[in-house]
Amino acid sequence: MSSSPPVRSNWLFAILLMAALVFVVLGRVPGWVGVSAIVRAGYEWALLLGGVALLLGVVNVLWLHIRRIALGQRDWVLSLALIAVLIAVAGAGLLSPTGAASPLLEWVFDAVIAPGQAALFALLIFFMAAAAFQYLRIGRRGGAWMLAGFLVILAAQTPFIFAWLPPGSAGVADWLLNAPVMAALRGVLLGSSLALLIVGLRLLLGRP
Amino acid sequence: MPALLCSHCGTPNRTGSNFCNRCGADLRGEPQQQAEDALGDAAPDATSPDATPSLRAEQPWLAPGFTGADDVPFEEDEEDPAALDALPPLPAPAMRLVSGVQGLLDPIRVAAMSQDNDASAPTTGVQEFPFGIDQMRRVRTLMMEEPMLASGSVQPSQPHRSLWLPWVFLIIGVGVALPLLIGWPLPAGKPMLWRGVASGFDAVERLSPNARVQILWAYDPATAGEMDLLSAPVLRHLLDRGATLRIISLLPNGPATARRSLAHVEMQRLPDLSAIGVHHNFEVSFWPGGATVLPLLAAESADLALVFAAQSEDVQHWLEQVAPINRVPVLAVTSAGADPPLRAYLDSGQLVGLVSGYDGAYHYTELLGETPAPDDVRAMRAQVAGQDYGALAILAIVVLGNLIALLTGRRPDG
């Protein structure tokens, strides 16, 4: 496999992508009114495409779980529950004159979705604690620097610790965020963007 | 049953198929075969192992002595070098339906279940295929099933290492739950006033009545605990100025969250006599399609743009996709975690203001010059106390980790 055959580029995709790129770039140039209208139409298509993709996702989920039930696969009961809830929620929204603001949907949001999402997000603190325990070590390579930066930022952002800090210490945190942290972050962002651009071009040219 | 065997992934396809049902490879020009017979004919071809050395060179994990990146060697029975050597070379990749998008990885040969091969099975003479039908079914079943937790210990030589995590979780759990159980005996303290809060307040204060304000609502219930405290004073300020709000959310649960926040703010404003009879018009919409569709908002006129975001990327998307086109000043209202990456945008002038975290909510409310509602005071005190105790717990965990490393001379990795 050292001499894997070159991958052909799909010229239809390449032309469409290049055309979209040119139109989007020209749409940013003032004075190109006609191009702006085309670009706007493209964005509206993207909006429609997003909606259709959501519907396709729903159909895909339905199909997948109907198959699981039909084949009697493991945990098919959960698939059945998922389909029942999906039908109930979608039906409530479609049949109610208030649409997405129907009482059942409001109840589902308040009683299930909101606390569920909040609870799952709150679990992050445990992962953060485990990561802090494991990586903020003086003995690790670079660990002392990470630990120092962590302590400075934590102190500046925690109200009761900040109240005990000497005046001017907040400037240290501000400088840290604005100079080294920002420089590193921008470097990573720029580097990954350039890498993405090059990978995309290579893919378009059939040289992945 | 006559079938077409995909030379790329080995999946049998219905006769007359143009493309593989599994990997999409082009089947036009493939010879028709007896798939069942061919698949059952999986005897290793010991006469054609030429491709094996180059295969190993590019896929070192197939070598018998290879140890993984985590330094955990494969079990003896996981790899069968003899069977691997005996496998015939892989068929050349076929032309693909979409070049470069799928099938970038060539198929990896499975040698762990070589005992399933029946060397004595008769061959069809149509095409040699390295896998048995049972092997294919087992691999497909394994790939489609949910992963299961291993029941045994992965590293039996160091069973004590897993004991640290429960203690870490206990400390952080107690730290966060303590203020809920016993109140908040520690003084909350006055938070730091970061740059950007006052300028953001001024940007809203300068709005004329009926000014149009675009709002990107980029948070949902997951982060509403922090973000609602921030959005409430800013929304109150906007409604006080009589602004017309155009709210867009790219999150499915964003509009419902926005409606609740607005309803909460309006309920708080009811006792305000000056607010009676004032009808606030606002529109909340969900736009699918992600950040791609944001430029559509650039065509709408507005006097101010606000981004309520739990993550910095949402503000960055607005600054990249919308602000350069419509040149409307942008005020970011974000979580404390999103604040650091956005400071540079404030310094460059791309943001007219940056209000973040409990600190920002506290000082924005102070700038409003109003007495916060009791509910808001209670919520903010609980949040600040929780943050304080959580920070203490994290500090305790960090100190504990370093002490253990110092005293024992080893790294307890949790």
Side-chain angles (χ1 to χ4, degrees):
Chain A
M1 268 173 291
S2 55
S3 60
S4 57
V7 179
R8 281 192 318 159
S9 63
N10 191 316
W11 290 106
L12 180 62
F13 280 175
I15 291 170
L16 281 174
L17 284 171
M18 287 298 178
L21 180 68
V22 168
F23 277 118
V24 168
V25 170
L26 288 181
R28 296 279 179 115
V29 180
W32 290 72
V33 181
V35 173
S36 299
I38 295 173
V39 172
R40 182 175 172 77
Y43 286 133
E44 286 171 352
W45 289 354
L47 188 61
L48 287 174
L49 194 65
V52 172
L54 270 181
L55 288 177
L56 273 178
V58 170
V59 171
N60 185 44
V61 166
L62 265 177
W63 175 242
L64 185 76
H65 287 276
I66 285 173
R67 279 194 64 192
R68 283 179 70 114
I69 295 168
L71 296 175
Q73 290 178 347
R74 197 180 61 188
D75 295 337
W76 65 270
V77 179
L78 298 179
S79 297
L80 187 64
L82 183 144
I83 291 176
V85 171
L86 195 152
I87 291 173
V89 172
L94 292 172
L95 299 178
S96 169
T98 50
S102 74
L104 178 59
L105 288 189
E106 296 283 315
W107 178 84
V108 167
F109 184 87
D110 289 330
V112 181
I113 295 174
Q117 278 196 338
L120 285 177
F121 189 75
L123 290 179
L124 266 181
I125 185 68
F126 293 100
F127 292 102
M128 287 175 59
F133 176 75
Q134 194 164 348
Y135 291 107
L136 294 176
R137 297 282 173 80
I138 295 174
R140 281 183 178 271
R141 184 179 296 175
W145 289 103
M146 280 179 62
L147 184 58
F150 163 79
L151 291 175
V152 170
I153 302 298
L154 185 77
Q157 293 206 333
T158 306
F160 89 100
I161 300 178
F162 174 71
W164 295 345
L165 291 179
S169 58
V172 178
D174 210 20
W175 177 83
L176 267 179
L177 292 176
N178 277 328
V181 173
M182 186 54 59
L185 190 67
R186 287 293 171 93
V188 169
L189 282 176
L190 189 62
S192 58
S193 301
L194 287 174
L196 191 65
L197 183 69
I198 289 171
V199 168
L201 282 175
R202 287 176 66 95
L203 197 64
L204 279 176
L205 297 173
R207 297 172 185 275
Chain B
M1 190 181 88
L4 279 174
L5 204 61
C6 175
S7 60
H8 181 245
C9 70
T11 303
N13 291 274
R14 196 175 303 160
T15 305
S17 302
N18 289 329
F19 302 103
C20 175
N21 283 330
R22 182 165 184 83
C23 70
D26 193 350
L27 298 179
R28 290 170 294 192
E30 292 284 331
Q32 182 174 307
Q33 309 159 35
Q34 298 290 331
E36 291 291 337
D37 292 343
L39 287 171
D41 183 24
D45 183 3
T47 62
S48 55
D50 298 340
T52 305
S54 62
L55 181 71
R56 284 187 186 167
E58 292 203 355
Q59 298 178 343
W61 49 87
L62 292 179
F66 176 75
T67 57
D70 52 357
D71 295 328
V72 179
F74 290 125
E75 295 293 332
E76 285 298 324
D77 56 351
E78 284 184 357
E79 290 286 331
D80 186 353
L84 191 66
D85 289 338
L87 286 177
L90 290 167
M95 304 285 281
R96 290 161 190 170
L97 177 60
V98 183
S99 297
V101 175
Q102 61 181 0
L104 289 174
L105 294 175
D106 291 323
I108 297 174
R109 300 185 302 172
V110 179
M113 294 177 286
S114 58
Q115 68 275 14
D116 292 345
N117 288 334
D118 183 5
S120 62
T123 60
T124 61
V126 176
Q127 180 178 350
E128 297 292 337
F129 195 73
F131 311 120
I133 187 71
D134 289 338
Q135 281 181 281
M136 294 291 293
R137 285 179 179 152
R138 285 176 66 180
V139 170
R140 285 181 62 177
T141 307
L142 285 171
M143 297 300 288
M144 291 172 71
E145 282 183 345
E146 295 290 330
M148 295 182 67
L149 293 176
S151 55
S153 173
V154 178
Q155 293 170 315
S157 60
Q158 293 175 312
H160 60 278
R161 296 174 75 182
S162 62
L163 293 177
W164 292 112
L165 268 186
W167 287 106
V168 171
F169 291 163
L170 181 67
I171 291 172
I172 194 71
V174 168
V176 175
L178 206 60
L180 298 176
L181 298 174
I182 63 169
W184 33 87
L186 279 176
K190 186 172 182 177
M192 174 176 171
L193 173 60
W194 294 86
R195 284 178 299 109
V197 179
S199 57
F201 179 87
D202 291 340
V204 177
E205 189 69 19
R206 283 195 297 269
L207 290 174
S208 55
N210 292 321
R212 289 178 60 83
V213 177
Q214 290 177 324
I215 296 179
L216 177 64
W217 199 278
Y219 75 89
D220 59 11
T223 48
E226 179 182 11
M227 289 301 300
D228 276 350
L229 292 177
L230 279 153
S231 64
V234 180
L235 286 175
R236 270 202 303 274
H237 196 192
L238 287 169
L239 296 182
D240 287 344
R241 302 299 305 165
T244 302
L245 309 183
R246 167 96 162 97
I247 302 175
I248 299 293
S249 183
L250 306 179
L251 303 171
N253 289 324
T257 312
R259 279 198 298 271
R260 276 155 181 75
S261 296
L262 282 163
H264 180 66
V265 169
E266 292 221 311
M267 283 292 290
Q268 288 177 338
R269 285 168 48 83
L270 278 181
D272 185 0
L273 290 177
S274 64
I276 293 177
V278 177
H279 177 64
H280 294 295
N281 190 16
F282 49 80
E283 184 187 337
V284 187
S285 322
F286 163 60
W287 282 12
T292 310
V293 299
L294 275 181
L296 280 174
L297 283 168
E300 300 176 3
S301 63
D303 300 294
L304 181 67
L306 260 103
V307 184
F308 290 116
Q311 295 177 342
S312 60
E313 287 83 0
D314 296 304
V315 181
Q316 288 168 329
H317 288 155
W318 187 279
L319 292 175
E320 290 162 1
Q321 304 291 332
V322 185
I325 302 174
N326 65 4
R327 307 282 178 189
V328 171
V330 183
L331 165 61
V333 181
T334 71
S335 65
D339 179 287
L342 297 175
R343 286 274 139 202
Y345 295 98
L346 183 68
D347 293 336
S348 68
Q350 289 169 279
L351 287 175
V352 294
L354 177 57
V355 186
S356 65
Y358 309 126
D359 320 4
Y362 177 90
H363 287 291
Y364 201 99
T365 307
E366 204 172 56
L367 287 169
L368 272 176
E370 63 184 23
T371 307
D375 284 348
D376 282 351
V377 173
R378 199 176 305 118
M380 190 171 293
R381 281 180 63 86
Q383 295 277 9
V384 173
Q387 188 182 356
D388 286 348
Y389 278 84
L392 277 180
I394 290 275
L395 279 175
I397 287 167
V398 170
V399 170
L400 182 69
N402 280 282
L403 274 179
I404 290 169
L406 186 69
L407 295 176
T408 62
R410 59 183 171 79
R411 299 186 309 200
D413 292 329

